[in-house]
Amino acid sequence: MGEYKAVTIAAGKGGWGGPLTILPTDKKKYVYSVTGGGIHPVAQRIADMTGGVPFDGFKSSVPFDEIAVAVIDCGGTARVGVYPMKKVLTVDIHATSPAGPLAQFITKELFVSGVKPDDVKEA
Amino acid sequence: MPDQQNNSKVVYQSTVTAVGELVSDFRDQGLLVWFGENAPSELHEFSILHKVAHQERAPMPGDVIEINSDRFTVLAAGSVSSDNLLNLGHLDLKANGLTEAELPGDVNVEVCELPMVKVGDTLKVIAASN
């Protein structure tokens, strides 16, 4: 059994949505970095602070229902909507607002954007 | 246009390896989403997956994007579109006619019907001459 702590993540400058509270559990422990080029610093910080397990979505995969939070660096069209569509809490590094074919799934309860490492705080 | 062909420089070239089920729906909205083959599986259904043969740089305004024999002039390229393409093989190609990218990942071309893409098709980015 892991020990986990909650963090809250507010929208950064020019960002949208949130704040989100992230609390991994044993069944939902992964901090999913879908950013390319390894684990993004925001994902690493969330993992460090919560005790969640970081992993790189471009290298491996886990089931959606085991993901505590997805961290993306989407400029706005596709990745920005796909995780909210699956009801996965989603943090976008870029300051995007809901747009694109999947915009209907992007809500303040599921999505926060413009996030930098300092926007991740202890809950 | 043999002369243009000779003077033009291909700065990016790839081959389509898979086409997701929702690609045609996205195409109907003037959008083609591209990703490299190592993209997570949840992105596959609305994506064209492709394999890079050659990459020098990503599209810039004035370049031509060629999908098989269809050619589109790039009107705008968002601030993260270059990193997206070069790092992830990711391209959001929008036929919206806008000369400024609405979203940082967008690459815009003129308003037109985007082609049906199939496995084996070629994507090229051709640098504006000179």
Side-chain angles (χ1 to χ4, degrees):
Chain A
M1 298 286 282
E3 285 205 12
Y4 302 104
K5 287 183 179 164
V7 292
T8 52
I9 304 175
K13 196 181 174 196
W16 186 92
L20 302 183
T21 300
I22 311 291
L23 178 59
T25 64
D26 279 333
K27 285 187 175 167
K28 224 177 171 78
K29 63 185 174 192
Y30 292 104
V31 178
Y32 187 35
S33 192
V34 197
T35 48
I39 306 294
H40 190 279
V42 168
Q44 189 63 54
R45 181 166 162 91
I46 295 170
D48 290 346
M49 290 179 67
T50 61
V53 178
F55 83 101
D56 181 347
F58 281 85
K59 295 217 172 100
S60 58
S61 67
V62 295
F64 280 112
D65 58 7
E66 295 179 18
I67 297 172
V69 60
V71 176
I72 60 176
D73 61 349
C74 179
T77 296
R79 276 174 293 167
V80 76
V82 69
Y83 303 101
M85 182 171 72
K86 310 276 187 191
K87 303 294 178 203
V88 173
L89 296 175
T90 304
V91 172
D92 194 350
I93 308 310
H94 295 303
T96 51
S97 298
L102 303 175
Q104 57 183 310
F105 301 108
I106 302 170
T107 64
K108 289 181 196 297
E109 290 72 34
L110 289 168
F111 179 85
V112 64
S113 71
V115 173
K116 298 203 162 33
D118 288 347
D119 297 315
V120 181
K121 297 192 164 76
E122 276 182 35
Chain B
M1 294 183 285
D3 285 344
Q4 189 178 339
Q5 204 68 39
N6 288 339
N7 293 335
S8 60
K9 183 168 198 270
V10 175
V11 293
Y12 188 96
Q13 182 168 341
S14 66
T15 304
V16 174
T17 57
V19 179
E21 285 174 25
L22 297 180
V23 167
S24 64
D25 292 348
F26 275 46
R27 171 183 167 270
D28 292 344
Q29 298 186 43
L31 168 64
L32 293 177
V33 176
W34 304 69
F35 267 104
E37 289 182 299
N38 61 344
S41 58
E42 64 271 17
L43 304 178
H44 293 188
E45 62 179 346
F46 55 78
S47 297
I48 299 164
L49 301 187
H50 61 147
K51 187 177 186 135
V52 176
H54 170 71
Q55 69 173 20
E56 241 173 272
R57 66 166 176 79
M60 303 194 299
D63 289 349
V64 167
I65 290 178
E66 190 177 88
I67 302 172
N68 290 332
S69 56
D70 292 316
R71 305 184 120 215
F72 310 94
T73 301
V74 176
L75 302 177
S79 58
V80 302
S81 61
S82 175
D83 285 347
N84 275 346
L85 186 64
L86 300 181
N87 295 337
L88 308 178
H90 178 38
L91 171 66
D92 290 323
L93 182 64
K94 294 189 174 176
N96 58 14
L98 301 177
T99 54
E100 283 192 24
E102 283 178 301
L103 298 170
D106 290 355
V107 172
N108 299 344
V109 298
E110 59 266 44
V111 175
C112 63
E113 189 165 321
L114 290 166
M116 295 294 287
V117 175
K118 57 189 188 309
V119 172
D121 285 356
T122 303
L123 170 71
K124 285 183 190 173
V125 177
I126 300 165
S129 48
N130 303 318

